[in-house]
Amino acid sequence: MDIKDAVALRIRELCGEKGITVNALAYSAGISPSTLFSMLNDKSKNPGVVTIQKVCDGLDITIAEFFRSPLFDDLEQVIR
């Protein structure tokens, strides 16, 4: 799994835990739904840290909480 896939899965996981839709998260994060959906699909290959921070703000969690997940433990190495 790469970082993009892990971020997308984590966003979906947290939406499920919080009981909110992706559209509701986009609204509370202050980003467009298309931006968030591009992070969840293959359109955005490199989700920016500022956008991830906005997602965290919309979920009312810290960025540390976002990345505190087994999804990020065994990511593929980027530089080979």
Side-chain angles (χ1 to χ4, degrees), residues 52-63:
I52 293 172
Q53 178 65 57
K54 288 180 180 183
V55 168
C56 292
D57 292 346
L59 290 165
D60 196 30
I61 63 171
T62 66
I63 200 159

Side-chain angles (χ1 to χ4, degrees), residues 4-25:
K4 184 254 175 254
D5 294 332
V7 166
L9 284 172
R10 184 67 170 144
I11 291 170
R12 291 182 192 280
E13 181 180 81
L14 290 165
C15 281
E17 288 176 13
K18 301 276 185 177
I20 61 172
T21 65
V22 173
N23 280 333
L25 173 56

Side-chain angles (χ1 to χ4, degrees), residues 39-69:
M39 290 174 68
L40 299 176
N41 300 317
D42 287 333
K43 289 183 181 177
S44 175
K45 299 291 184 193
N46 187 15
V49 70
V50 172
T51 306
I52 293 172
Q53 178 65 57
K54 288 180 180 183
V55 168
C56 292
D57 292 346
L59 290 165
D60 196 30
I61 63 171
T62 66
I63 200 159
E65 289 172 295
F66 182 85
F67 286 109
R68 193 176 304 129
S69 166

